[in-house]
């Protein structure tokens, strides 16, 4: 065995802005075409549109390591942060469509393209590989708020129109649009207040300057557990297995379903059999019991959808958010 392979098998290696994970043996499955039969014959690049650190990076590294253990070449996790994920996604869109460069996207992938004209890519330039996980969003409130669930919140909002506001980590994100969708479904008028990240928003909601916030479950949970905020509802359609006691909005407004997805995309003309091979490799990793436990601890729920279902999700998300943006007249400067 070469010294290079020995080094790779020792663990995870950082190379400039990339992360190389250990190489293993090739899977024995057969594939429909020569493209998939030969893939991968060199290292692949998994683009993460965030800086190192944080749940998305951790997810990418967990899966890259597992996939590499079943492939003859390493997966390199490459960081291209900035512009609300647009820099990383644009890099993938411009890459050669051969399967050797693919990237992580979240709900901003769709929302950015609907709200911003010049982001460097259009979803038509890419194809979905698989939805890896979903990240539940929750509505939380200041502990002294005179409502404890979605029914009481809606009743209060109707009795006091124009007086309730909700914070989010930024304008035009999924949390913002989720609040606008709730306004439409419940016939209320919650006012949106955008912050530059979750931390300053948490400060103002805990301090009572803003009564409500929509935030990822993982981000809000420590503040609830410490008694500084309280849960109102979870915004995904079904209760989250990791927090089954939090009721859903859909229990009052059937069909209400908003969460943040994390998935993989590749350049549009990547051969379909190569896309399927990547999807199968990552979906298998997602279902590995050891890795699944680590993913659960990140506050994420495994989906492992494959290409067809993920591309349908992307289409459905675009249609839903386009309606909400138009009806609420949402713009982002």
């Amino acid at each position: 065995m070469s010294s290079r392979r020995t080094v790779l098998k020792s663990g995870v290696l950082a190379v400039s802005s990339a992360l190389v994970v250990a190489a293993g043996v090739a899977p024995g499955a057969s594939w429909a075409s020569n493209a998939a039969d030969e893939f991968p014959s060199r290292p692949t690049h998994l683009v993460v549109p965030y800086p190192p650190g944080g749940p998305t990076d951790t997810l990418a590294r967990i899966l890259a390591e597992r996939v590499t253990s079943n492939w003859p070449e390493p997966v390199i996790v490459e960081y291209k942060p900035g512009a609300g994920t647009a820099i990383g996604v644009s890099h993938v869109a411009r890459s050669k469509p051969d399967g050797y460069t693919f990237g992580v996207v979240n709900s901003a992938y769709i929302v950015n393209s609907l709200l911003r004209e010049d982001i460097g890519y259009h979803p038509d330039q890419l194809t979905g590989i698989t939805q890896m996980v979903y990240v539940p969003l929750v509505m939380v409130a200041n502990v002294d708020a005179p409502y404890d669930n979605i029914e009481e919140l809606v009743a209060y909002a109707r009795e006091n129109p124009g007086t309730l506001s909700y914070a989010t980590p930024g304008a035009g994100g999924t949390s913002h649009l989720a609040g606008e969708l709730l306004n439409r479904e419940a016939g209320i008028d919650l006012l949106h207040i955008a912050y530059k990240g979750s931390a300053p928003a948490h400060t103002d909601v805990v301090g009572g300057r803003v009564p409500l916030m929509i935030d990822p479950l993982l981000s809000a949970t420590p503040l609830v557990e410490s008694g500084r905020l309280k849960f109102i509802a979870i915004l995904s359609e079904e209760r989250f297995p990791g927090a089954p006691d939090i009721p859903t909005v859909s229990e009052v407004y059937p069909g209400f379903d908003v969460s943040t997805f994390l998935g993989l995309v590749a350049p549009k003309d990547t051969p379909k059999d190569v896309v399927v091979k990547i999807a199968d490799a990552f979906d298998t990793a997602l279902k590995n019991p050891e890795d699944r436990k680590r993913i659960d601890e990140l506050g994420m729920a495994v989906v492992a959808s494959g290409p067809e279902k993920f591309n349908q999700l992307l289409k459905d998300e675009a249609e839903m958010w386009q309606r909400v943006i138009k009806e609420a007249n949402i713009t982002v400067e």
Side-chain angles (χ1 to χ4, degrees):
M1 181 176 291
S2 69
S3 60
R4 173 180 176 274
R5 183 58 55 92
T6 302
V7 170
L8 286 173
K9 290 191 71 174
S10 69
V12 180
L13 301 178
V15 181
S16 64
S17 65
L19 190 93
V20 181
V21 295
V25 296
S30 61
W31 300 95
S33 79
N34 289 335
D37 284 341
E38 297 169 357
F39 179 89
S41 60
R42 62 180 187 273
T44 54
H45 293 253
L46 172 56
V47 176
V48 174
Y50 294 102
T56 301
D57 174 39
T58 301
L59 175 69
R61 289 187 286 110
I62 289 170
L63 298 178
E65 183 172 3
R66 183 64 61 184
V67 170
T68 302
S69 71
N70 291 316
W71 275 4
E73 295 287 344
V75 177
I76 299 174
V77 179
E78 188 173 347
Y79 304 100
K80 293 192 176 294
T85 75
I87 289 176
V89 177
S90 297
H91 175 79
V92 176
R94 294 192 302 268
S95 298
K96 186 177 179 179
D98 55 9
Y100 287 91
T101 299
F102 50 95
V104 178
V105 293
N106 62 14
S107 299
Y109 167 64
I110 295 297
V111 174
N112 281 342
S113 69
L114 298 173
L115 287 172
R116 298 172 172 88
E117 293 183 0
D118 186 19
I119 58 170
Y121 72 89
H122 191 278
D124 288 347
Q125 296 173 268
L126 298 120
T127 187
I129 297 174
T130 190
Q131 180 186 358
M132 298 183 291
V133 300
Y134 78 85
V135 181
L137 296 175
V138 290
M139 178 170 278
V140 291
N142 179 273
V143 292
D144 295 325
Y147 34 77
D148 295 313
N149 53 55
I150 196 67
E151 298 100 321
E152 293 175 359
L153 169 63
V154 169
Y156 186 91
R158 288 174 178 170
E159 293 169 3
N160 302 272
T163 63
L164 281 184
S165 57
Y166 69 101
T168 72
T174 307
S175 296
H176 176 192
L177 298 185
E180 297 295 346
L181 183 61
L182 179 61
N183 279 339
R184 188 180 73 173
E185 293 295 318
I188 56 179
D189 186 23
L190 302 179
L191 305 176
H192 176 240
I193 300 178
Y195 286 79
K196 293 183 178 180
S198 291
H202 289 159
T203 298
D204 278 3
V205 179
V206 169
R209 288 175 286 278
V210 182
L212 297 163
M213 182 174 181
I214 296 176
D215 204 30
L217 174 63
L218 181 65
S219 177
T221 294
L223 294 168
V224 174
E225 291 179 342
S226 65
R228 289 177 287 173
L229 292 177
K230 61 183 177 181
F231 288 124
I232 298 297
I234 198 164
L235 277 61
S236 45
E237 189 169 18
E238 298 179 354
R239 294 199 182 199
F240 184 59
D245 294 334
I246 308 175
T248 68
V249 173
S250 68
E251 291 167 24
V252 180
Y253 299 98
F256 191 99
D257 185 15
V258 180
S259 59
T260 296
F261 65 78
L262 286 171
L264 298 175
V265 296
K268 177 183 177 181
D269 294 326
T270 302
K272 290 183 179 179
D273 49 0
V274 171
V275 169
V276 169
K277 190 166 188 178
I278 299 169
D280 286 350
F282 276 82
D283 288 352
T284 299
L286 285 159
K287 295 172 184 176
N288 178 279
E290 179 184 345
D291 295 333
R292 189 161 191 158
K293 183 176 183 295
R294 296 170 68 189
I295 293 168
D296 288 344
E297 291 170 352
L298 293 173
M300 302 173 180
V302 169
V303 177
S305 71
E308 185 176 349
K309 289 183 178 179
F310 186 38
N311 280 296
Q312 185 62 51
L313 172 71
L314 294 175
K315 180 181 177 182
D316 293 344
E317 288 266 314
E319 292 175 353
M320 177 177 70
W321 292 132
Q322 190 168 42
R323 288 196 303 270
V324 172
I325 289 167
K326 182 177 180 181
E327 292 174 6
N329 194 28
I330 297 172
T331 60
V332 176
E333 296 180 0

